[in-house]
């Protein structure tokens, strides 16, 4: 379970990137499946060739940004549908990732990585490592929330809410989409880089289905917590990523096979999408959201009527 929480917190970085496109920009970006592997490939090849792990992770961020920017350019300047633009970039990245690694798998065994000090100290797989990963997640959440409250971030939020309105104020919605997609896939690339260093290898197929993990994290987390505040919505993404990994772990412990993980992910997303529409669930949420003052006021009204 501790390993599941650790992985959940690492994948939360990717989920924050998905949150930027899926919730903020309202853009269905499938580049994620490719840029996740790109980040892992760039970091792994860099580390194997003697590049400092921190610098290799930064290069993974820049590589992810480049992938996202390409999708943005195809959509905004090439006038290609957003969904199709993401698919095209994702398919192209498969070959690019093979070119970067030169083979289908790049091992990192025996190499110095960001995870090596934790493994050497014997704290990997403990509550201490969970605290470290959680702290990193909180820092990234704070960075995302801060950005979304800047002038540029608010313009990006407005682009996702109402393009025509924000365009009337002289804001370039094309630039906002390109920037949003670049930042989103940059975070996805960092997540891929950290996952590769955590598991000890980068594989060309490790990004398949990652978009589903991101969507599940966003939807599950925000089904539990409110989306009313940006900081709470971003924090919900982290919680959703951890819950997702825990559900997967529980399913495996229950006897399901590893090959069933994609099926479990799909079912989890379907449940998270349908549950808020169930009237019984809505009543439960409303009950928990009632404030003590509202309860007291309702009691006083009953007494008055009596």
């Amino acid at each position: 379970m501790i390993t599941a929480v650790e992985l959940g917190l690492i994948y939360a970085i990717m989920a924050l990137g998905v949150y930027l496109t899926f919730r903020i920009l309202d853009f269905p970006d499938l580049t994620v499946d490719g840029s996740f592997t790109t980040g892992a490939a760039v970091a792994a090849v860099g580390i194997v060739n003697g590049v400092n792990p921190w610098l290799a992770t930064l290069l993974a961020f820049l590589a992810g940004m480049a992938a996202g920017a390409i999708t943005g350019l195809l959509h905004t300047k090439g006038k290609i549908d957003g969904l199709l633009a993401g698919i095209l970039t994702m398919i192209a990245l498969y070959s690019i990732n093979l070119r970067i690694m030169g083979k289908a798998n790049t091992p990192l065994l025996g190499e110095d990585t960001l995870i090596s000090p934790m493994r050497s100290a014997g704290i990997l797989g403990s509550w201490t490592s969970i605290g470290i990963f959680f702290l990193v997640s909180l820092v990234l959440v704070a960075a995302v929330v801060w950005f979304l409250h800047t002038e540029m971030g608010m313009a990006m939020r407005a682009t996702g809410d109402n393009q025509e309105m924000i365009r009337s104020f002289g804001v370039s919605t094309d630039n906002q989409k390109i920037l949003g997609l670049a930042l989103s896939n940059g975070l996805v690339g960092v997540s891929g880089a950290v996952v590769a260093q955590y598991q000890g290898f980068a594989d060309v197929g490790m990004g398949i289905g990652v978009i589903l993990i991101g969507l599940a994290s966003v939807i599950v987390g925000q089904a539990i917590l409110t989306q009313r505040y940006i900081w709470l919505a971003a924090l919900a993404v982290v919680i959703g990523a951890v819950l997702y990994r825990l559900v997967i772990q529980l399913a495996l412990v229950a006897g399901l096979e590893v090959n069933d993980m994609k099926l479990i992910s799909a079912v989890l997303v379907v449940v998270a999408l349908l549950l808020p529409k169930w009237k019984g669930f809505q009543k439960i949420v409303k009950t928990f959201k009632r404030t003590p003052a509202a309860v007291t006021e309702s009691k006083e009204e009953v007494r008055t009527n009596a």
Side-chain angles (χ1 to χ4, degrees):
M1 287 298 176
I2 290 179
T3 301
V5 175
E6 286 179 341
L7 280 173
L9 291 171
I10 295 174
Y11 276 101
I13 304 172
M14 175 272 300
L16 283 171
V18 174
Y19 167 73
L20 285 177
T21 52
F22 184 64
R23 290 297 190 198
I24 300 301
L25 278 179
D26 192 23
F27 189 97
D29 182 29
L30 295 184
T31 314
V32 174
D33 281 14
S35 59
F36 184 85
T37 308
T38 301
V42 169
V45 171
I47 291 172
V48 168
N49 285 280
V51 177
N52 182 278
W54 289 100
L55 179 57
T57 305
L58 176 60
L59 292 175
F61 174 74
L62 296 177
M65 286 191 71
I70 291 173
T71 299
L73 289 170
L74 289 175
H75 173 60
T76 57
K77 307 304 180 183
K79 305 302 179 183
I80 299 175
D81 179 75
L83 190 63
L84 180 57
I87 293 173
L88 290 172
T89 307
M90 175 188 66
I91 293 173
L93 284 175
Y94 185 86
S95 297
I96 292 174
N97 294 333
L98 281 173
R99 286 282 186 177
I100 293 173
M101 293 191 292
K103 49 188 176 181
N105 186 287
T106 300
L108 290 172
L109 298 177
E111 302 289 344
D112 290 330
T113 66
L114 296 180
I115 310 298
S116 296
M118 299 171 62
R119 186 173 284 112
S120 300
I123 62 174
L124 195 65
S126 67
W127 289 105
T128 303
S129 63
I130 288 178
I132 294 173
F133 286 128
F134 183 66
L135 182 61
V136 172
S137 299
L138 287 182
V139 170
L140 289 174
V141 166
V144 170
V145 172
W146 170 81
F147 171 75
L148 291 176
H149 281 88
T150 62
E151 185 176 344
M152 186 174 295
M154 287 188 286
M156 188 178 297
R157 289 159 58 188
T159 300
D161 290 335
N162 193 324
Q163 294 187 47
E164 289 73 17
M165 181 198 71
I166 194 63
R167 196 180 293 121
S168 67
F169 286 97
V171 175
S172 173
T173 55
D174 286 356
N175 291 342
Q176 292 299 322
K177 288 181 180 180
I178 294 171
L179 176 62
L181 287 164
L183 290 176
S184 169
N185 285 279
L187 289 172
V188 173
V190 169
S191 180
V194 178
V195 168
Q197 295 173 67
Y198 181 87
Q199 63 188 14
F201 65 91
D203 187 84
V204 72
M206 64 187 296
I208 298 176
V210 167
I211 182 61
L212 191 59
I213 299 175
L215 290 175
S217 303
V218 173
I219 295 170
V220 171
Q222 295 187 353
I224 298 173
L225 296 180
T226 180
Q227 302 178 38
R228 185 174 180 181
Y229 305 104
I230 292 293
W231 67 270
L232 198 55
L235 184 61
V237 172
V238 176
I239 295 174
V242 174
L243 288 176
Y244 169 83
R245 296 305 309 186
L246 287 175
V247 170
I248 293 294
Q249 183 63 30
L250 289 172
L252 294 175
V253 171
L256 293 177
E257 299 180 0
V258 178
N259 295 331
D260 297 326
M261 287 183 61
K262 303 302 180 185
L263 176 61
I264 300 170
S265 301
V267 171
L268 187 60
V269 172
V270 170
V271 171
L273 286 172
L274 295 180
L275 192 60
K277 299 178 182 179
W278 179 46
K279 292 183 179 180
F281 180 79
Q282 293 175 359
K283 290 180 180 179
I284 294 173
V285 172
K286 288 181 180 178
T287 301
F288 278 103
K289 286 184 178 180
R290 292 181 67 190
T291 61
V295 174
T296 304
E297 184 179 347
S298 62
K299 288 182 178 179
E300 291 179 353
E301 290 180 358
V302 171
R303 290 174 183 174
T304 303
N305 294 332

